[in-house]
Amino acid sequence: MVLILGLAQAAAAAAKAATAADMAALAAADAHRGLAEGEPCLVAADVAGRHGAILTGCIAAGDFSVQVEVHFATGMGVPLQATGKARAGPPPDSSPPLQP
């Protein structure tokens, strides 16, 4: 029973870390493109914090993409830490398709 509870807590922590990373990257990319106010990595840190995570990495690239890494820790039962990584912005190769 303890193993099942531990696995459930680990899955929940991983999902929360992934969600926090996704939301932080999206908000930071909007700021990077000028669609929202703020410095991209500060925006990412704020959004991650609102989701209970800590921003541990942020790169705002010249192509208006943003990559973030967050850590989420839970103290319920067995202390667990999960890491979430996300990227938001235009596709890596956003050149227009060739016309036939």
Side-chain angles (χ1 to χ4, degrees):
M1 183 66 161
V2 173
L3 177 63
I4 293 172
L5 180 59
L7 290 174
Q9 285 182 339
K16 289 180 181 181
T19 298
D22 288 341
M23 296 296 108
L26 289 169
D30 281 350
H32 196 28
R33 291 182 57 203
L35 300 175
E37 291 186 27
E39 193 277 319
C41 292
L42 292 178
V43 170
D46 180 55
V47 171
R50 291 173 189 244
H51 286 273
I54 298 169
L55 183 72
T56 56
C58 179
I59 299 170
D63 66 351
F64 295 107
S65 67
V66 179
Q67 294 180 21
V68 300
E69 179 176 294
V70 302
H71 285 305
F72 180 84
T74 179
M76 301 182 78
V78 177
L80 296 171
Q81 290 194 8
T83 300
K85 295 180 182 181
R87 179 198 175 276
D93 180 21
S94 59
S95 58
L98 297 174
Q99 299 295 325

